[in-house]
Amino acid sequence: MVAMTKRVKLFQIVFNDPSKTFYCSGDKVAGKIVVEVNDITRVSAMRVLGIGCAKVNYAKGKQRCRQEIDYLKYEEVVHLDDHPADTDGSVILRPGNKYEYTFGFELPQQGQLVSSYEGKFGSVQYYVKALMERASQPVLECKKTFDVEEPLDVNTPDLLSPAGGMKEKKVTCMFIPDGQVSLNAKIERQGFCEGEEILIDAKFENTCSRIVVPKAAIVAKHTYQANGHTKVFTQKLSSVRGNHIISGMCDAWLGKTIRVPKIKPSILGCRIIRVEYALMIYMHIPGSEKLVLELPLVIGTVPYSGLSSRSNSMSSQESTASNSWVSLRMPSSCPPSYCDVTRDTRLDQPLTPLLDDYDGGDSPIFMNSPQFTFPPLPPYSEVEEECNGNSHGNAHMLPVY
């Protein structure tokens, strides 16, 4: 922020490293205050403040809920280097010159700060403010914000532990029981970073008469507290869906993936603002409320350092698929005889729409009869095979496969 008046041409704060995107606890925030004037100006003092504050502000009925927490309070009087000062400490600035006041201070150690945040009903902001005190003149001020991102390592034992659960729900139609739906899901760990993929293992079962749709989504939960009141704001960030499950059927996800989008890390150490994430796995049931299972997530800044879970899962699935394919290729009985084989065995049916998915803008659901194709006919040739010595000249016609 640049402040200018009739007498002051330029008054701004410049950081030493303008390309630095964020600061962490223990880092040094350093820079200079640049001043240019149009007229001769006497500056009594130049003060620098480092401020960090969490604020919550929202309305609840006719009551205004406000609360603040300070995380950074720093103040220093800075001086011009190699510039004469009067006995009272004031200096005279003249037009045509550029004056620079240098400053620097360290941020508190880890555990004493909270990451920067800008939300719907609150914020966590850090900034440097400069105050120019002039004789018989109003105090002139300018400020410049900077971001703080506290490190959050997802490689801790708690965040590397898996999470899972099971939910079921009885479905009714006009107060008449209509079966139930159930889901059982788990994830391999709870800590993730931006861009990583979450692998979901889940099983869905549908015994009601309706067609249900399994889905998963990453949701954010923002909690604001002020004056003894709590306000919660939730937001869906990204989602995936599975196949429709008809009545009496079940489906399974083996390592289905959902990518963590570009989002701010979790904020867990602030008393008035809390940002939490969850993986919501649910089943959409037409005409009824969803069946929802929420698994906790923590979004960190230090990525997972172990082996790629995606690679392990894919290799496991490939191994399983390979074994299944081998078992399919090995026949358990003799090839079919000619009398059992028909020339045209495919059943072609038109696509039949079943229902609309009321939980999104997806295409209508269609059902198509599966295609059955028997393997090609085995090669056939006639050979003569001699029997035992008692039957000379006799031969049997045998098919060769």
Side-chain angles (χ1 to χ4, degrees), residues 3 79 92 98 201 207 259 268 283 327 339 353 360:
H79 305 277
I92 296 177
K98 183 178 288 188
D201 291 333
T207 60
R259 185 179 294 272
L268 307 175
M283 298 176 71
S327 65
C339 61

Side-chain angles (χ1 to χ4, degrees), residues 91-377:
V91 296
I92 296 177
L93 307 183
R94 301 181 183 278
N97 296 322
K98 183 178 288 188
Y99 301 91
E100 296 181 350
Y101 295 79
T102 60
F103 68 89
F105 59 90
E106 286 189 0
L107 297 177
Q109 295 301 312
Q110 189 170 0
Q112 302 179 37
L113 293 181
V114 174
S115 297
S116 300
Y117 168 79
E118 189 69 35
K120 189 176 180 65
F121 303 106
S123 63
V124 181
Q125 290 186 338
Y126 295 87
Y127 58 90
V128 175
K129 180 189 286 189
L131 300 175
M132 183 192 299
E133 299 178 358
R134 301 169 294 167
S136 305
Q137 295 288 332
V139 175
L140 194 62
E141 69 175 47
C142 69
K143 72 176 184 178
K144 188 175 183 65
T145 61
F146 62 93
D147 288 333
V148 170
E149 187 175 282
E150 282 296 88
L152 181 55
D153 192 351
V154 303
N155 296 285
T156 61
D158 289 343
L159 300 185
L160 290 178
S161 61
M166 184 182 69
K167 282 288 187 73
E168 61 181 23
K169 176 182 178 178
K170 294 182 179 179
V171 182
T172 60
C173 179
M174 300 295 292
F175 305 104
I176 300 175
D178 187 26
Q180 69 175 23
V181 294
S182 63
L183 67 89
N184 191 335
K186 68 174 182 178
I187 53 178
E188 59 185 356
R189 54 189 168 98
Q190 302 175 42
F192 294 89
C193 291
E194 171 190 323
E196 291 186 327
E197 289 188 338
I198 304 173
L199 303 183
I200 309 171
D201 291 333
K203 182 178 180 181
F204 308 91
E205 187 173 359
N206 176 25
T207 60
C208 73
S209 63
R210 311 171 201 188
I211 298 178
V212 301
V213 185
K215 297 185 179 184
I218 298 175
V219 295
K221 179 182 177 183
H222 305 253
T223 305
Y224 306 90
Q225 294 181 335
N227 305 122
H229 299 287
T230 300
K231 197 173 190 66
V232 178
F233 174 72
T234 58
Q235 183 181 17
K236 182 189 289 187
L237 303 175
S238 61
S239 61
V240 294
R241 58 173 292 162
N243 300 321
H244 302 83
I245 306 173
I246 63 175
S247 176
M249 300 297 290
C250 60
D251 194 12
W253 289 355
L254 299 177
K256 191 174 184 67
T257 61
I258 181 170
R259 185 179 294 272
V260 178
K262 186 176 182 179
I263 51 179
K264 285 284 189 178
S266 301
I267 297 179
L268 307 175
C270 182
R271 297 198 308 271
I272 61 175
I273 297 176
R274 193 172 179 90
V275 179
E276 301 168 285
Y277 297 95
L279 177 65
M280 185 173 70
I281 305 172
Y282 59 102
M283 298 176 71
H284 170 73
I285 310 169
S288 181
E289 293 184 356
K290 301 179 181 70
L291 176 63
V292 179
L293 173 66
E294 285 193 7
L295 303 180
L297 295 177
V298 174
I299 305 302
T301 60
V302 181
Y304 178 55
S305 60
L307 294 175
S308 172
S309 56
R310 178 174 172 81
S311 300
N312 293 340
S313 175
M314 290 180 65
S315 62
S316 174
Q317 292 180 45
E318 288 174 0
S319 175
T320 303
S322 177
N323 294 335
S324 300
W325 177 242
V326 169
S327 65
L328 286 175
R329 288 185 296 174
M330 297 298 293
S332 58
S333 59
C334 298
S337 64
Y338 285 107
C339 61
D340 296 331
V341 178
T342 58
R343 289 292 180 183
D344 189 5
T345 56
R346 292 184 301 172
L347 303 177
D348 296 327
Q349 297 291 340
L351 294 176
T352 306
L354 298 178
L355 53 81
D356 291 329
D357 187 352
Y358 303 104
D359 189 33
D362 302 312
S363 302
I365 306 169
F366 290 94
M367 179 176 67
N368 190 13
S369 299
Q371 295 184 348
F372 301 94
T373 306
F374 287 107
L377 299 178

